[in-house]
Every structure is written in structure tokens, then in C-alpha cells.
Amino acid sequence: MSSNVVPLETFLDLPDHARLLGLDLGTKTIGLALSDVERQIATPLETIRRVKFGLDAAALIKIAQNHAVAGLIIGLPLNMDGSEGPRVQSTRAFVRNLAPLTPLPVAYWDERMSTMAVTRTLLFADASRAKRAEVVDKMAAAYILQGALDRLMRMEPGDPEHDDAAPDGADAAR
């Protein structure tokens, strides 16, 4: 297990005014979202077209450096019943391979229904199929990151309740 995969509450100790980067890992793309410096609002940033791991990781690390990112929130695609399937294994493998390349702490966040919620919002906004395809990944990343940011805002260091940051411990390395 990588030493930079940490429980979400570890992010409470990050330096002030350091941003977080949210990731929605897909098979063809990686959606990215960036927090503000106060770590209260997640904003869709961009979508990386996946090529191969080395190039994907280099692009991700460069974006993190350019935006002074202090930590990564990675969506963990649990099954609806909370079990782990092939997509979770793929996500964990990506993080295992990324960890040696960056000192940034990584926390998982349960992403169940994030793409569905974003797609529903885009449908409600009457976005065209092409527009939805263009923005859904980075918006899903923002949805994931916002969930983690909201939870962090409710946490206090030393608070015994911070173990329930996400259902089924998806925010911690298990």
C-alpha cells in the first residue's frame, strides 16, 4: 500500500491556501476539477484524454504543479451495494502506479452516482449530447471533489466523527 494514500481527515493538516485536485478516472478520459484556495468550492477544470499511463501521469502531475495543488481526491467507483468491482481495482492500480511519481497525498472518495447526477443536471439544462460528452467527466470530477470538500468543512481535527467521511470508508485506503 502506498504511503501517500491517506484518510480524508489527513487533508485537514494541509497548508492553508493550497488547492485540491479532484479526479474522475475513466477508461478513455480523466476528468479534473480544482478547488479554490479556501477549499470550499470545486470547479470543473479540464479533461485529459487517456493515452498510456506514463503520459497520463505526467500530464496530471504537471497540472497539479501549475495550480499549486496540495492533494488529490480520486473518485472510487464502488458498486451500488458498496462492493468493489473491476473499476475499483483499476482505480487503485492507477493510484498505486501514480504514488511513486508524486509526493501528493491521495484520498479516495465514493463516487457512486456522480456521473448520473451530472448527466441528469446537464439534461435538465437541455445540453446537447455533444456538449454533455464534452463536459461530463470534468463535471463529475467537480461533483466528487465538492463532496469531499463539504465533508472536510464539517470535520474538525480530533473530532471522533471524522471516521465516517464517506460511505464504506471510500475516502481511506483499505
Side-chain angles (χ1 to χ4, degrees):
M1 183 181 315
S2 169
S3 62
N4 49 346
V5 176
V6 299
L8 184 65
E9 60 264 18
T10 305
F11 283 52
L12 292 171
D13 299 326
L14 291 175
D16 290 342
H17 307 295
R19 298 174 187 268
L20 299 181
L21 189 66
L23 284 78
D24 179 41
L25 288 176
T27 56
K28 296 179 183 174
T29 61
I30 303 172
L32 301 177
L34 189 65
S35 76
D36 64 323
V37 295
E38 298 299 323
R39 295 196 289 264
Q40 294 182 358
I41 299 169
T43 303
L45 182 62
E46 65 180 270
T47 300
I48 297 173
R49 291 262 169 240
R50 294 189 74 171
V51 182
K52 64 181 195 177
F53 176 79
L55 297 173
D56 301 343
L60 179 62
I61 291 167
K62 182 174 181 173
I63 290 166
Q65 290 170 339
N66 289 345
H67 291 283
V69 167
L72 306 175
I73 302 290
I74 300 192
L76 195 63
L78 297 169
N79 293 326
M80 290 306 289
D81 66 1
S83 64
E84 295 189 7
R87 289 186 61 225
V88 169
Q89 293 170 2
S90 175
T91 298
R92 290 191 191 278
F94 181 91
V95 171
R96 260 192 319 276
N97 292 327
L98 180 67
L101 305 177
T102 178
L104 293 175
V106 175
Y108 292 115
W109 187 256
D110 183 347
E111 72 162 58
R112 281 180 279 187
M113 299 183 26
S114 61
T115 301
M116 188 185 326
V118 167
T119 301
R120 188 176 306 131
T121 300
L122 290 169
L123 285 168
F124 183 74
D126 203 27
S128 69
R129 183 180 301 266
K131 182 65 174 173
R132 287 194 310 267
E134 179 185 319
V135 301
V136 71
D137 296 315
K138 63 185 176 182
M139 287 186 68
Y143 187 91
I144 291 162
L145 180 57
Q146 190 64 56
L149 293 174
D150 290 348
R151 182 65 188 112
L152 280 168
M153 283 189 277
R154 291 190 308 269
M155 287 181 172
E156 294 291 330
D159 181 352
E161 291 188 15
H162 47 53
D163 291 338
D164 68 346
D168 303 304
D171 66 313
R174 290 196 177 29

